[in-house]
Amino acid sequence: MSRPLSPPAAELLDTLRDWVAAEALRPLDRALTRFIAVQGGETDVAVLLAVALASERNGHGHVCLDLRGVLSQPGGLLGQLRDDEAPSVQVRQALAARLEGLELADWRARLARSPAVSDWLGARTDDGVSPLVLAGSAAQPLLYLRRYWHYENRIRAGIRQRLRQPLNVDLIQLRRQLAGLFGPAPPDTPDPDWQRLACALAARSAFFIITGGPGTGKTTTVVRLLAVLQGLAVAGGAPPLRIELAAPTGKAAARLNASIAGQVRQLVGHQAPDGSIPTQVKTLHRLLGTRPDSRGFRHHAAHPLAADVVVVDEASMVDVELMARLLEALRPDARLILLGDKDQLSSVEAGAVLGDLCRRAVDAHYRPEVVDWLAAATGQRVPPPLSATDGTDLDQAVVMLRQSYRFRAQGGIGALASLVNAPDREDPPGQTRLRATLALFAAEAGRQERDLGVITLRRLADPADPGLRDLVVTGYGGEDSYLRLMPRQYPGDHADQAALDTWARGLLEAQQGFQLLTPLRQGPWGVEGLNPSIIEHLRGAGLLAAAGGQRQWFAGRPVLVTRNDYGLNLMNGDIGLTLSVPAGTAGGGQVLRVAFPTVDGGVRWVLPSRLQAVETVFAMTVHKSQGSEFWHTALLLPDKANPVLTRELLYTAITRAKAHFTLLYSRDEVLGEALRRRVERVSGLQGDGWADPSAVAP
């Protein structure tokens, strides 16, 4: 039943309305706060403010609200919803005034007394219905929207249950399997073969993470691991394991599908039965079984997947909700293996699951008994700095691959990625990270060594700079670009479907030759401003037909799906290419169709009119580029500092490039700010709960 608002609550809601108008708060955030006040009868403005901020933080990718962090660093809250605008000074001042005088212990106590909050932190009881949950620790209280608290607990419980499963491994058989895949055990060296160590360690765990940067061999390692697991199963007299491969997006699934198939072909003669290692990759949504118009899936705890092993690539893109759904859908005895780069940008939705789980991966923290077991299994010893007596169960289930087989460390893309991503303690002596980055670009100028990966730096005055026009015309209009190949390789108006499919597959592959990335969506430096200007540049160069009656849809338009479409079996992040194909009617002529790659190497053709949630991606946000790789990637930085500019964003953009990376920027201080700032997403998974079983709710 609705209750009248108290004057302080009404005044706060008026303030929240102002914040919504200033685009520092979502209407949803205020609506939730009003619901708690009106329907729940909450009158304490400190509680209502916490509700609004918890919802606001969730909209910016955080799983929960860190109360201590709010009081110590309030400037990080109420980020502008438009990424091309600076945060409102007035809004920040109003928030500071609201927080002034609040103390952590008092704020926590007021939340604990609220009927809208379940005080798991203090009473460790749960009424099961309160919309918010107070958890975390006394030193770091965390306020959750209930469903996100459930997601985290399900993730923790699902992982812990697997970490504590005793998996006995026959050491003799394991050594035999490893020798067949990697060759004889090498002598003990200070720099061990981390791929071999990963396969050995993963063989004894029902949950495992393989993380590493570009070219470190994550796919190679997991294929060999699957061969080890199948070989051990066969040697033990068990039937072959049922294995499922998955990735968050169709693009990532298609890329994994291609790379896995090549790796499996190299396993000829291994003890794993033929066909026991799958080469078909599904999207996670398809694996779990999407249900239209529902957040649920066909597979869940009561109807689990039949798989014995599930492998998920590009796990950094998996948000907290989807990871919880996946763990729920696994049988209790099923293995889960996650692959991904812990240093990439986190998922678009709330959470940074892979990053949280890999927070201690650099220093490993392997227990002495695990180090001894690895030495017995592989003939190699983990370096002493990576061993620790305080290692958690989770630490023993994470391996970080440390050697790039794509790029040498001495220069180029590999050196740039390492410099951008290095911890603060590894800042170059006597140099800022900015000066070191600019010096690296200067040293690499003119170098064309492909095994290093070419890096180039260009200054631009603004998005109308001729340098940007020349870059996109050259990038999208090179001799081997899809825009050149599209008319050149067209199979003709009378071509059959097979010929059209072959033509489209070739163009989709060529589309990966060049990609312009930007951190922003809005404004002249964002995709909304850049894409129209790029289209005009390409039309001016004769690479695209002049605008006709169909201004939105035209041959050569690359599009990205922005919302899951279960009817078309297209997922958020899938990229397609608009092509002119024969109409197939008596009158002849051509019509537009959008070609999307399928995970099995085929092509799905879709009518443009059926695509309700797509955007042009001549320019693409860095977030949307995750799961993709391009031969040449160019990143355009804006002319003003922005909270979205972080090391993780730079690193992700750099590592999308397979052979050539170009950085376009206008001001040193903007690049310097991006090199200083790190992404920090608040969650309970990054705490010490892995060492404390009581930290998980029943």
Side-chain angles (χ1 to χ4, degrees):
M1 183 176 71
S2 302
R3 305 180 189 181
L5 289 171
S6 67
E11 195 251 339
L12 174 64
L13 288 172
D14 288 342
T15 298
L16 298 185
R17 181 183 293 111
D18 294 339
W19 294 356
V20 171
E23 295 191 326
L25 205 68
R26 300 174 299 173
L28 173 67
D29 307 326
R30 183 183 181 274
L32 175 62
T33 309
R34 188 178 188 280
F35 177 85
I36 299 297
V38 174
Q39 301 297 327
E42 182 59 66
T43 60
D44 190 334
V45 291
V47 173
L48 294 174
L49 179 62
V51 172
L53 294 178
S55 182
E56 185 265 353
R57 290 289 79 192
N58 183 248
H60 286 277
H62 300 267
V63 179
C64 51
L65 179 71
D66 178 0
L67 299 182
R68 179 180 292 279
V70 169
L71 295 176
S72 62
Q73 295 181 315
L77 290 101
L78 300 181
Q80 207 69 23
L81 298 179
R82 286 185 59 87
D83 56 21
D84 64 324
E85 296 181 2
S88 168
V89 174
Q90 292 79 10
V91 169
R92 295 289 174 83
Q93 290 173 342
L95 174 62
R98 291 273 176 187
L99 296 174
E100 188 175 2
L102 271 178
E103 296 183 355
L104 182 63
D106 179 61
W107 201 7
R108 172 189 159 186
R110 292 163 76 171
L111 284 164
R113 290 193 298 268
S114 172
V117 179
S118 179
D119 182 21
W120 175 252
L121 178 58
R124 291 188 175 268
T125 59
D126 182 24
D127 59 15
V129 296
S130 54
L132 294 107
V133 176
L134 183 63
S137 66
Q140 188 181 31
L142 304 174
L143 183 66
Y144 291 82
L145 303 182
R146 170 170 288 279
R147 68 186 179 97
Y148 287 95
W149 181 72
H150 276 306
Y151 294 152
E152 272 200 1
N153 277 286
R154 291 168 189 170
I155 291 170
R156 197 189 309 274
I159 293 175
R160 179 176 282 119
Q161 180 263 325
R162 286 168 172 77
L163 292 176
R164 295 180 176 176
Q165 283 185 30
L167 295 180
N168 298 318
V169 179
D170 187 326
L171 269 180
I172 295 175
Q173 281 294 335
L174 178 58
R175 286 195 290 263
R176 186 175 297 160
Q177 296 292 329
L178 294 174
L181 290 163
F182 293 94
D188 192 11
T189 65
D191 189 19
D193 183 345
W194 284 100
Q195 293 189 9
R196 183 188 289 262
L197 291 176
C199 288
L201 197 55
R204 53 179 265 164
S205 181
F207 174 82
F208 203 77
I209 297 175
I210 300 172
T211 186
T216 52
K218 295 185 291 292
T219 304
T220 300
T221 304
V222 80
V223 169
R224 293 179 176 183
L225 169 59
L226 295 177
V228 167
L229 296 179
Q230 291 288 29
L232 291 172
V234 171
L241 300 169
R242 293 167 293 182
I243 299 172
E244 291 281 3
L245 308 176
T249 66
K251 185 70 174 179
R255 190 163 63 84
L256 179 63
N257 189 87
S259 57
I260 280 240
Q263 292 294 329
V264 169
R265 287 193 292 269
Q266 299 178 23
L267 296 179
V268 178
H270 188 263
Q271 293 186 38
D274 290 343
S276 63
I277 300 176
T279 57
Q280 298 300 310
V281 184
K282 301 175 182 176
T283 64
L284 269 174
H285 287 81
R286 184 179 177 189
L287 173 69
L288 295 174
T290 54
R291 296 168 59 189
D293 304 318
S294 170
R295 299 181 72 97
F297 295 95
R298 286 192 299 105
H299 291 289
H300 44 75
H303 183 216
L305 292 161
D308 301 305
V309 181
V310 173
V311 177
V312 180
D313 194 23
E314 297 289 354
S316 63
M317 301 170 64
V318 182
D319 60 73
V320 68
E321 178 180 2
L322 190 55
M323 186 64 74
R325 302 284 190 190
L326 172 62
L327 281 158
E328 284 182 312
L330 299 179
R331 300 197 325 266
D333 61 337
R335 295 175 184 254
L336 177 61
I337 301 167
L338 304 180
L339 309 178
D341 189 341
K342 67 179 180 62
D343 297 314
Q344 284 189 25
L345 283 168
S346 304
S347 57
V348 175
E349 302 298 330
V353 179
L354 186 73
D356 289 343
L357 298 178
C358 294
R359 189 165 285 258
R360 289 158 53 101
V362 172
D363 296 323
H365 301 275
Y366 297 136
R367 297 171 186 147
E369 63 269 23
V370 173
V371 172
D372 292 341
W373 185 89
L374 281 170
T378 67
Q380 295 189 300
R381 185 163 285 276
V382 172
L386 303 183
S387 177
T389 57
D390 64 346
T392 66
D393 289 348
L394 178 62
D395 292 332
Q396 318 313 301
V398 180
V399 162
M400 181 175 135
L401 305 180
R402 300 166 191 259
Q403 179 185 350
S404 177
Y405 297 91
R406 182 181 303 171
F407 305 119
R408 300 206 314 266
Q410 294 88 342
I413 291 176
L416 180 61
S418 297
L419 176 59
V420 168
N421 195 48
D424 290 336
R425 66 177 184 263
E426 298 179 14
D427 272 352
Q431 288 184 300
T432 66
R433 200 177 295 252
L434 172 62
R435 287 168 55 192
T437 301
L438 296 177
L440 178 61
F441 274 108
E444 295 289 311
R447 181 180 286 178
Q448 298 292 320
E449 297 178 58
R450 300 294 290 241
D451 61 338
L452 291 176
V454 178
I455 59 173
T456 54
L457 185 68
R458 294 190 185 186
R459 279 188 183 268
L460 299 178
D462 53 53
D465 193 302
L468 179 58
R469 178 199 60 207
D470 294 343
L471 177 70
V472 297
V473 169
T474 301
Y476 289 118
E479 280 302 305
D480 296 326
S481 69
Y482 79 90
L483 290 177
R484 296 285 189 190
L485 298 177
M486 188 169 60
R488 189 185 305 164
Q489 297 183 350
Y490 179 59
D493 290 346
H494 301 290
D496 59 16
Q497 192 60 54
L500 291 170
D501 288 351
T502 300
W503 172 62
R505 279 197 299 270
L507 297 178
L508 288 166
E509 183 175 345
Q511 190 185 1
Q512 301 171 40
F514 175 79
Q515 182 63 56
L516 179 68
L517 302 179
T518 173
L520 307 181
R521 289 196 51 80
Q522 293 97 10
W525 299 87
V527 294
E528 292 181 1
L530 289 169
N531 275 303
S533 63
I534 293 173
I535 290 170
E536 291 308 309
H537 294 328
L538 297 177
R539 282 175 172 156
L543 295 165
L544 293 175
Q550 292 182 307
R551 295 183 177 274
Q552 181 182 10
W553 289 100
F554 51 87
R557 181 192 182 194
V559 295
L560 179 141
V561 178
T562 59
R563 187 173 64 242
N564 292 344
D565 189 326
Y566 303 118
L568 296 176
N569 198 20
L570 294 173
M571 298 295 126
N572 186 3
D574 288 351
I575 298 175
L577 188 58
T578 310
L579 300 172
S580 289
V581 298
T585 62
Q590 294 184 332
V591 294
L592 293 177
R593 296 288 186 271
V594 186
F596 290 91
T598 60
V599 294
D600 60 358
V603 176
R604 177 181 296 111
W605 296 90
V606 181
L607 282 167
S609 58
R610 298 192 65 190
L611 296 170
Q612 302 302 310
V614 294
E615 60 186 33
T616 305
V617 283
F618 285 115
M620 182 189 300
T621 64
V622 179
H623 265 102
K624 293 293 188 182
S625 73
Q626 292 185 95
S628 300
E629 289 183 331
F630 310 92
W631 284 104
H632 182 188
T633 299
L635 172 65
L636 175 65
L637 295 183
D639 62 344
K640 298 184 291 187
N642 191 291
V644 304
L645 301 180
T646 62
R647 290 192 211 172
E648 288 82 0
L649 181 137
L650 294 177
Y651 175 82
T652 301
I654 294 165
T655 55
R656 298 310 89 206
K658 298 176 71 172
H660 188 177
F661 173 76
T662 298
L663 178 62
L664 307 159
Y665 81 118
S666 60
R667 297 172 61 195
D668 286 355
E669 51 267 41
V670 174
L671 176 57
E673 183 67 20
L675 289 164
R676 285 191 293 272
R677 186 183 290 117
R678 280 206 174 275
V679 174
E680 288 293 338
R681 284 194 171 181
V682 179
S683 89
L685 293 177
Q686 58 191 231
D688 60 1
W690 296 107
D692 179 12
S694 65
V696 179

